[in-house]
Amino acid sequence: VVLSVQAQNIDTLTIGQNGNHDFKTVSAAFDSLYNRGVGNSIMLLVTADYIPDDSLYHETFPITVQDVIGTDAETTITLKLAEDINVTLKDSADCIFYLDNAKHFSIYGDGRLNVVNESKVNGTAGIRLYGNCDDIVIDGCNIMAEVADSCSYGISAECHYGEYPIVLSNNNISRATYGMFVTDDSDKKGRDIIIDGNSIGDVRDGYHITSCGICVSVANSHKDVSSRFVISDNKIFSVMGGVLPTGITVYDGSGTISNNLILDIVNNNQAHETNAAYGMIIMSANDSVECYNNMISHVAA
């Protein structure tokens, strides 16, 4: 039996339950891409007709993104929103977007994509990256996790391979134990983790980050250069909890931390004791970390 399947050759595919769209849900769009592959770069455009909890064509969570046949550094898949719409993906799954060994994929929320996870399962996340993720951009998303007795993440990235950067930029994150928790043991020279322009925190009761705004641990595979990660131009605020609240923590890796604003880091249980709260913690004993032009204010104690 010979099976011939035509690769997708359409530049833009639209998503929405009402009207004449290519797919009813984001999950259905990815199911099609897995089966058919791509012949050129694809734009998945979520329209104003998209209803995640539609009674007939409801979204499946988590929305799983995997490697699609035909993609490479020049042939990519991008998820965007049409102009002047606001999409709320709200569920209680382990995460809302699950990037499972995804490659050459970007989400551009443009400030209109709200990712809300109300699950109280341990380790829940708004967006989760896992495995051999490569060439990934998460940009302009409003992400809200769930602060409960268990640990939660706005963006959780546990990556093990990659030649191209992972970029987490211009996102707004609140209501999580960790705003961003990024680990990467890739051995490919040239791979960088770029975290820039994000706003992490919330002044409202019950919506704070409770442990750490940005937590990073990466393998230092760049033997001939100093940069392995870049953490820059982020605002981290209202990190309030009882277990060593911190603005930025680096466990391992070489890189730069610059032009960040860190303020209102408060240990609610030990406000006047030693080691109660920190603006920044760096533990990369054998690596090179450059810190400059950061503003840290209002850390108690």
Side-chain angles (χ1 to χ4, degrees), residues 7-136:
Q8 292 278 11
N9 289 315
I10 305 173
D11 287 329
T12 300
L13 302 173
T14 60
I15 300 171
Q17 280 81 354
N18 300 320
N20 185 23
H21 297 291
D22 297 289
F23 301 102
K24 300 296 185 184
T25 65
V26 180
S27 296
F30 278 104
D31 287 342
S32 175
L33 294 176
Y34 301 145
N35 292 328
R36 309 177 90 179
V38 297
N40 61 317
S41 293
I42 297 294
M43 174 77 71
L44 296 176
L45 188 64
V46 181
T47 71
D49 295 326
Y50 175 72
I51 306 171
D53 57 353
D54 180 81
S55 58
L56 183 59
Y57 299 103
H58 57 273
E59 190 65 79
T60 301
F61 294 105
I63 298 171
T64 301
V65 181
Q66 296 177 311
D67 190 15
V68 175
I69 296 173
T71 59
D72 55 32
E74 302 298 326
T75 305
T76 62
I77 298 174
T78 302
L79 179 70
K80 290 195 70 172
L81 280 67
E83 294 295 326
D84 301 323
I85 67 170
N86 191 303
V87 173
T88 300
L89 299 174
K90 183 176 180 180
D91 201 62
S92 294
D94 173 67
C95 56
I96 303 301
F97 282 97
Y98 179 40
L99 277 59
D100 181 16
N101 298 293
K103 296 176 176 63
H104 314 296
F105 172 68
S106 301
I107 299 176
Y108 286 98
D110 296 321
R112 296 187 293 266
L113 175 59
N114 298 317
V115 177
V116 183
N117 194 332
E118 297 184 332
S119 173
K120 296 184 182 298
V121 176
N122 187 41
T124 187
I127 299 176
R128 185 185 306 280
L129 287 69
Y130 181 79
N132 298 338
C133 288
D134 199 14
D135 191 14
I136 303 296

Side-chain angles (χ1 to χ4, degrees), residues 120-160:
K120 296 184 182 298
V121 176
N122 187 41
T124 187
I127 299 176
R128 185 185 306 280
L129 287 69
Y130 181 79
N132 298 338
C133 288
D134 199 14
D135 191 14
I136 303 296
V137 176
I138 308 296
D139 184 286
C141 298
N142 304 316
I143 303 170
M144 185 181 299
E146 177 64 59
V147 173
D149 293 335
S150 59
C151 192
S152 64
Y153 307 91
I155 297 178
S156 171
E158 184 181 347
C159 302
H160 308 299

